[in-house]
Amino acid sequence: MKILIKRNLAKGEVTEGKLYIDDIFICDTLENTHSCLPVGSYPISIMKCKQYRRNIISVKSSVDEATQTNQCHKCKLKELVFSNTPMPRFCPQIKPGNGVYGRRDGSIIVGSRALFGCIISPRSAFDLLYERIRKNIERGKCVSLKIR
């Protein structure tokens, strides 16, 4: 399964793009311009995030240390965490959320573009994407992300 993000507009802190799976448009994306991943290809995995207390879509960047486990223990557990809470360190993930301002953790927010810098329906877009990735990984297929 090949996921492609085509970045099409960057202004200030916001970088907008479109996410495709096997050349079919799925949803829009938002990234923080100051912390977005460089153009290139990255492997995708699903791992248990300690901070969010759930499985997340993780993007393995060259900045990350290589880990063979499906569980992350690098962050301290916080008491109250919402989908818009930024990670305490650079940890690229594809996740739901409603904005990228102040988010310097390398996150890629998915949803439907309402206007510049604003995403709506992030949870439904994320759930659809998560299920597709999870099923492909369970079937033993390689899932990769390419950013242009």
Side-chain angles (χ1 to χ4, degrees), residues 30 84 97-103 109 117-119:
L30 278 181
N84 237 17
N98 60 6
V100 294
Y101 299 101
R103 185 182 292 273
I109 308 295
C118 182
I119 290 272

Side-chain angles (χ1 to χ4, degrees), residues 74-90:
K74 297 174 186 171
C75 299
K76 290 183 178 179
L77 190 61
K78 288 188 174 182
E79 197 62 38
L80 290 173
V81 178
F82 305 101
S83 62
N84 237 17
T85 303
M87 299 296 287
R89 61 179 195 83
F90 186 79

Side-chain angles (χ1 to χ4, degrees), residues 6-11 14-17 31 33 113 116-117:
K6 290 183 181 178
R7 293 178 178 150
N8 53 13
L9 181 59
K11 186 176 179 184
V14 178
T15 299
E16 290 187 344
E31 299 173 75
T33 305
R113 182 183 191 272
F116 179 75

Side-chain angles (χ1 to χ4, degrees), residues 11-115:
K11 186 176 179 184
E13 267 190 272
V14 178
T15 299
E16 290 187 344
K18 298 201 175 287
L19 187 141
Y20 300 85
I21 295 179
D22 299 327
D23 298 324
I24 299 171
F25 174 75
I26 302 299
C27 61
D28 295 299
T29 64
L30 278 181
E31 299 173 75
N32 187 311
T33 305
H34 305 294
S35 65
C36 57
L37 290 168
V39 171
S41 296
Y42 304 93
I44 296 283
S45 67
I46 292 181
M47 63 187 299
K48 180 84 172 182
C49 178
K50 186 176 180 182
Q51 179 166 335
Y52 289 121
R53 297 179 184 100
R54 63 167 293 177
N55 287 335
I56 51 102
I57 302 169
S58 176
V59 180
K60 299 293 181 192
S61 70
S62 58
V63 178
D64 288 339
E65 303 111 29
T67 177
Q68 300 299 323
T69 64
N70 288 336
Q71 194 142 7
C72 179
H73 296 288
K74 297 174 186 171
C75 299
K76 290 183 178 179
L77 190 61
K78 288 188 174 182
E79 197 62 38
L80 290 173
V81 178
F82 305 101
S83 62
N84 237 17
T85 303
M87 299 296 287
R89 61 179 195 83
F90 186 79
C91 186
Q93 301 172 357
I94 298 175
K95 62 172 107 177
N98 60 6
V100 294
Y101 299 101
R103 185 182 292 273
R104 305 273 177 149
D105 55 7
S107 299
I108 301 168
I109 308 295
V110 295
S112 297
R113 182 183 191 272
L115 52 120

